[in-house]
Amino acid sequence: MFLFDVPPVSYRDPWEASYSTRFADLCKGERRVAYFYDNPDNSTFRYRIYNMMQAMSLTANEIGASYFHLGDEEHIDAIVERADVIVFCRTRYSLMMMRVALAAKERGKRVLFDVDDFVFNVDYIHLILNTLDVDTEPSAVWDFWYAYIGRIGSMLKLCDEAIATNEFLAQRISEFTGRPVHVIPNFLNREQLDVSDRIYEQKARQNFRRDGRFHLGYFSGSPSHNKDLGLVEEALAELLSRRSDVVVRVAGYMEIKGPLAAFRDRIEFLPFRDFVNLQHAIGEVEINLMPLQDNLFTNCKSELKYFDAAVVGTLSVASPVYTYSKAIQDGHNGFLASDHQWYSTLTRLVEASPSEMASWIQAAREDARVRYGWNSQAGLIETVLFPADGAAGAVGRKAQLLLSENPCREGAR
């Protein structure tokens, strides 16, 4: 385990603001974008709204950006009147959200839908539930998922354009809606980057000093990832049986079963942490485990687990699904491992020299900071939200090419 003494951060969610404050933020710029989300939270809202707003406020020119939610229904007309662009983020269909979309269209505003996961097409509910290891016996499970995904899909189809986190997901949206799709990746916000810089810099100054144990971290710790962790259980158990200095760290709750159950005394469980202080836990481990099943649902996932780890100097080993393969250059800034390669890959890393590890870590860190830092994103966001002269912009044009290649394009409209 890496050693450093960067203190935990006293953190409070910065998006708990009053309506008047949020409306004032919208009105600050000459060009204005209003994001709509059901209720602010620490997951999708953070990556797809808060981070976007922060990047624009700190680096973009004269753009006012703010967010609104179900509690702001009485203010719909004022919000829509002031905004130039409306973005619904993973929003479920409701009377309020429908009213916002129709009011915006009547006023000639751009209306987009931002979604970070393959959760809008009810034709794939069986695949999604199987991937997430959901107990499908109760009837209420089907009621919830058909309502949840169906409402997101209906809201998506109300919008004129969409935004996705990667090209694979963009293609799925194109097939579903027949509309233009833009790509804005997930990225690190300023708070994450600030604490990550302190962690990495101290680790580097200490030549990546360790305590003698080798920690493998799994930071998707919920039962919905049981099948993902199952992909590496045998490899981890074999490694634990051969190396007494190897420890597995799991953030959150997982059902440890199968061959790993025999090594419970060498599995550390970490309680929930806010996204800033989670960087401390990730920064302590040598290897970040990113196993993922390979199917249509999982290939739509973003690479956020890679850059969250890379920026604090932790190397990732990942399944070679679409986005992980795009982010990781195998053997340079991380490693890709098919199901049968996990044991050999992990063994190689556990036995690697300090200089080899440092080289891989530095490459990952540089890549994460350059490609996924908040201060590198404003230009792309601005291009998507406010395309020059009415054009779709470079990213939009790329997504429209995806659409033009879709044989179902005409029928989907």
Side-chain angles (χ1 to χ4, degrees):
M1 182 170 72
F2 291 119
L3 299 175
F4 54 88
D5 58 8
V6 175
V9 176
S10 178
Y11 175 78
R12 179 182 178 186
D13 288 342
W15 43 81
E16 297 175 1
S18 66
Y19 167 76
S20 59
T21 298
R22 290 181 280 117
F23 188 72
D25 287 340
L26 175 67
C27 298
K28 286 178 180 177
E30 293 185 3
R31 296 172 296 167
R32 301 163 182 162
V33 53
Y35 287 91
F36 280 85
Y37 193 72
D38 290 343
N39 291 292
D41 57 30
N42 194 29
S43 57
T44 294
F45 177 86
R46 168 165 57 93
Y47 278 103
R48 304 309 297 171
I49 297 181
Y50 175 72
N51 288 8
M52 304 288 172
M53 290 167 42
Q54 183 186 80
M56 283 186 282
S57 69
L58 294 173
T59 57
N61 298 321
E62 300 175 337
I63 295 178
S66 194
Y67 70 91
F68 304 95
H69 51 70
L70 292 171
D72 297 320
E73 185 167 9
E74 64 183 291
H75 305 291
I76 288 175
D77 289 337
I79 297 167
V80 173
E81 190 64 39
R82 287 300 181 99
D84 299 302
V85 179
I86 303 292
V87 181
F88 296 97
C89 181
R90 199 166 171 162
T91 306
R92 286 171 286 187
Y93 184 97
S94 66
L95 288 176
M96 173 189 163
M97 297 302 179
M98 177 194 68
R99 285 184 55 208
V100 173
L102 294 182
K105 289 186 176 188
E106 288 173 358
R107 291 168 171 83
K109 315 285 185 171
R110 293 190 73 213
V111 180
L112 299 95
F113 194 93
D114 186 302
V115 64
D116 59 349
D117 218 341
F118 189 37
V119 287
F120 46 81
N121 189 338
V122 296
D123 291 346
Y124 294 93
I125 287 180
H126 282 81
L127 171 66
I128 294 169
L129 298 189
N130 181 64
T131 302
L132 298 177
D133 200 25
V134 175
D135 178 6
T136 57
E137 287 298 324
S139 178
V141 169
W142 297 103
D143 291 341
F144 169 80
W145 282 97
Y146 266 92
Y148 177 71
I149 292 178
R151 289 173 66 188
I152 290 176
S154 293
M155 199 65 215
L156 170 57
K157 285 187 172 180
L158 266 183
C159 299
D160 302 316
E161 304 171 53
I163 304 170
T165 51
N166 62 68
E167 290 83 359
F168 191 92
L169 178 59
Q171 181 64 52
R172 307 287 80 72
I173 298 170
S174 294
E175 294 166 354
F176 182 71
T177 66
R179 292 170 173 78
V181 188
H182 312 269
V183 176
I184 302 176
N186 281 330
F187 56 88
L188 296 150
N189 62 38
R190 183 169 61 174
E191 296 90 336
Q192 276 181 298
L193 203 54
D194 286 349
V195 72
S196 298
D197 283 349
R198 295 199 298 273
I199 291 169
Y200 179 83
E201 287 163 5
Q202 188 174 115
K203 287 168 65 173
R205 283 196 303 270
Q206 298 174 162
N207 293 317
F208 301 99
R209 182 166 60 94
R210 292 162 46 186
D211 68 354
R213 297 173 299 165
F214 198 102
H215 274 68
L216 309 173
Y218 185 68
F219 297 97
S220 300
S222 73
S224 66
H225 291 280
N226 282 338
K227 290 188 174 182
D228 296 325
L229 184 60
L231 297 175
V232 298
E233 281 181 341
E234 290 189 6
L236 291 177
E238 179 69 13
L239 192 60
L240 288 166
S241 71
R242 292 176 179 269
R243 297 279 305 229
S244 60
D245 59 336
V246 173
V247 179
V248 176
R249 171 173 286 187
V250 177
Y253 174 76
M254 291 292 298
E255 298 175 14
I256 302 300
K257 49 191 177 182
L260 268 184
F263 300 94
R264 287 182 182 274
D265 60 330
R266 287 161 63 194
I267 300 176
E268 300 175 355
F269 290 92
L270 301 181
F272 173 81
R273 302 185 183 193
D274 62 71
F275 72 91
V276 176
N277 288 297
L278 181 61
Q279 294 302 98
H280 285 79
I282 299 174
E284 289 176 333
V285 307
E286 285 87 349
I287 299 298
N288 172 45
L289 302 172
M290 295 167 49
L292 200 61
Q293 302 161 76
D294 187 358
N295 58 43
L296 202 62
F297 177 67
T298 57
N299 276 278
C300 291
K301 296 289 185 182
S302 89
E303 63 272 53
L304 66 90
K305 295 185 190 307
Y306 157 70
F307 60 70
D308 281 353
V311 76
V312 290
T314 293
L315 198 64
S316 292
V317 181
S319 297
V321 297
Y322 178 82
T323 313
Y324 293 171
S325 296
K326 297 276 283 187
I328 295 174
Q329 299 175 55
D330 188 39
H332 174 64
N333 61 338
F335 287 83
L336 299 170
S338 298
D339 294 353
H340 66 283
Q341 296 175 319
W342 278 92
Y343 177 74
S344 61
T345 301
L346 293 176
T347 298
R348 175 186 177 185
L349 297 179
V350 170
E351 296 176 351
S353 69
S355 62
E356 284 182 303
M357 287 292 291
S359 174
W360 295 324
I361 287 170
Q362 289 162 6
R365 153 77 176 183
E366 181 179 354
D367 176 66
R369 229 184 172 289
V370 170
R371 284 204 290 163
Y372 302 106
W374 63 268
N375 46 0
S376 303
Q377 310 302 324
L380 172 60
I381 299 169
E382 185 176 358
T383 297
V384 170
L385 296 182
F386 302 97
D389 302 322
V395 177
R397 284 194 295 272
K398 181 176 181 181
Q400 288 195 33
L401 286 175
L402 288 173
L403 177 59
S404 67
E405 295 165 0
N406 174 20
C408 301
R409 173 167 57 98
E410 296 296 329
R413 284 180 172 165

